[in-house]
């Protein structure tokens, strides 16, 4: 699922890796015991590394869902938010300061040998 699909903009970008700037992998403690999901995450991480896509692990999928629903203006919660792709179809969006800071955070984490940094989203 892409952030654009969540927001209701059902534009198709063909899932071109050049359009994806960030991959969020969300799992809680129960999900960490799911072997199939961990294999899925490993394959996604390999794809992202091969295509220079930044990756972040998020520790609280339910909180991530809340935040994404707030950002998209509400609506129904999607069934699966274990993997969210943030696309960047327009070069002008690179100038978004929040996205730039997030990309810098990922880059700095890689310099410290933390290839997939984890962000702990606290409960409300």
């Amino acid at each position: 699922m892409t952030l654009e699909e969540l927001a209701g903009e059902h534009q198709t970008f063909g899932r071109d890796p050049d359009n994806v700037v960030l991959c969020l992998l969300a799992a809680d403690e129960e999900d960490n015991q799911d072997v199939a999901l961990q294999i899925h995450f490993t394959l996604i991480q390999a794809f992202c590394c091969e295509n220079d896509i930044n990756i972040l692990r998020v520790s609280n999928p339910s909180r991530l869902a809340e935040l994404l629903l707030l950002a998209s203006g509400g609506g129904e919660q999607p069934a699966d938010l274990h993997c969210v792709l943030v696309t960047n179809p327009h070069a002008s969006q690179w100038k978004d300061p929040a996205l730039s800071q997030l990309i810098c955070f990922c880059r700095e984490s890689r310099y410290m040998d933390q290839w997939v940094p984890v962000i702990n989203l606290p409960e409300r």
Side-chain angles (χ1 to χ4, degrees):
M1 165 169 293
T2 65
L3 193 56
E4 287 80 13
E5 288 172 345
L6 185 65
E9 300 174 13
H10 295 284
Q11 300 172 347
T12 302
F13 298 109
R15 300 299 187 273
D16 180 1
D18 292 336
N19 292 333
V20 178
V21 294
L22 181 66
C23 176
L24 299 174
L25 299 176
D28 56 19
E29 288 183 25
E30 289 178 15
D31 293 329
N32 288 334
Q33 305 302 320
D34 185 345
V35 175
L37 184 61
Q38 296 310 312
I39 292 171
H40 184 70
F41 280 0
T42 300
L43 293 171
I44 291 170
Q45 290 174 47
F47 177 82
C48 290
C49 287
E50 187 174 305
N51 289 286
D52 285 331
I53 297 170
N54 293 294
I55 310 165
L56 279 176
R57 296 273 314 231
V58 178
S59 66
N60 190 340
S62 60
R63 182 67 178 135
L64 176 63
E66 287 177 24
L67 293 171
L68 291 175
L69 287 174
L70 287 174
S72 68
E76 288 188 37
Q77 182 171 348
D80 183 12
L81 281 178
H82 287 295
C83 179
V84 177
L85 299 177
V86 178
T87 57
N88 185 21
H90 307 291
S92 63
Q93 290 179 348
W94 259 123
K95 296 177 179 154
D96 182 330
L99 185 57
S100 295
Q101 286 179 337
L102 197 54
I103 300 304
C104 287
F105 172 74
C106 290
R107 199 171 293 135
E108 288 171 6
S109 295
R110 282 193 298 274
Y111 289 138
M112 296 184 305
D113 289 332
Q114 185 181 10
W115 288 92
V116 182
V118 177
I119 294 181
N120 297 310
L121 294 177
E123 292 294 330
R124 236 177 176 189

